Amino acid sequence: MFGGVGLAGVQLSYYLTIARINIAIALLVQYLGLVAVTAFERYHRRQRVGAQVWAALAMVLIGAFFAVGAYQPSLFRVNLPGVMLGLVSAGFFAFYILRASTLARRLETWTILVYGFGTGSLLWLAFDAVTRTALPTDWRIWIVMALVGLVGTLVAHALFVIALRTIRPSAAGIVASAEPVFAGLIAFLLLGDRLQPLQVAGAAVIVAGIVTVQAASREEALSATVLP
């Protein structure tokens, strides 16, 4: 379930989404899955979700809207299928986070990753066989894909699963929303991209939201320690 529905589902739905709409809008729609994660914690797992957590969630969503430049009028020329696929991707994203948080309490990190990525890889092989997807012939493309697979995927997911051992899923998802902040910083340092003032302001709001949710988590930990 984790590898086939969570990992492979997120990847496939996200790739189909960004093939149809701008990646900034796709990323923003996927982050809506954090609302489902927080609501699931509150109403299904019956965990206390304080006002600070909801405020942090609102801050990172608003901040992401500006950080990815979604306020630009040209980006709103999106098609309905792309938006719907983005919402499907948000659902898979929420499932992935919640399922990973459950497994992290019972299994070792590398056990989760080996079985999860193993199952996902088998499904992708079946998908390629059915669709007769041609493999790249340029060895340089294989190197780039290897870097994306190892650094951008395997290491990133490993760190996220480790994080779920110490903080709640909603907090982990909110902290992970710092992705546009790092993307903008890396693009500035390596590619010379310039961020617009509203994008910088959006990044600052995301950071503020992350600080807020961490403060809420610290207060919950202190309360649990003080209460008998």
Side-chain angles (χ1 to χ4, degrees), residues 113-126:
L113 295 175
V114 167
Y115 281 94
F117 277 99
T119 304
S121 298
L122 291 176
L123 290 175
W124 274 114
L125 287 173

Side-chain angles (χ1 to χ4, degrees), residues 177-214:
S177 68
E179 179 183 353
V181 179
F182 284 99
L185 181 61
I186 293 173
F188 172 74
L189 295 176
L190 298 182
L191 304 177
D193 287 356
R194 298 288 179 179
L195 296 178
Q196 299 178 6
L198 283 177
Q199 290 181 290
V200 176
V205 174
I206 292 176
V207 173
I210 293 172
V211 172
T212 300
V213 77
Q214 288 303 305

Side-chain angles (χ1 to χ4, degrees), residues 79-106:
N79 57 72
L80 184 59
V83 174
M84 296 304 295
L85 281 169
L87 292 174
V88 171
S89 178
F92 280 120
F93 182 53
F95 177 86
Y96 160 76
I97 294 176
L98 292 168
R99 190 61 187 159
S101 69
T102 300
L103 294 175
R105 294 195 296 266
R106 303 202 309 256

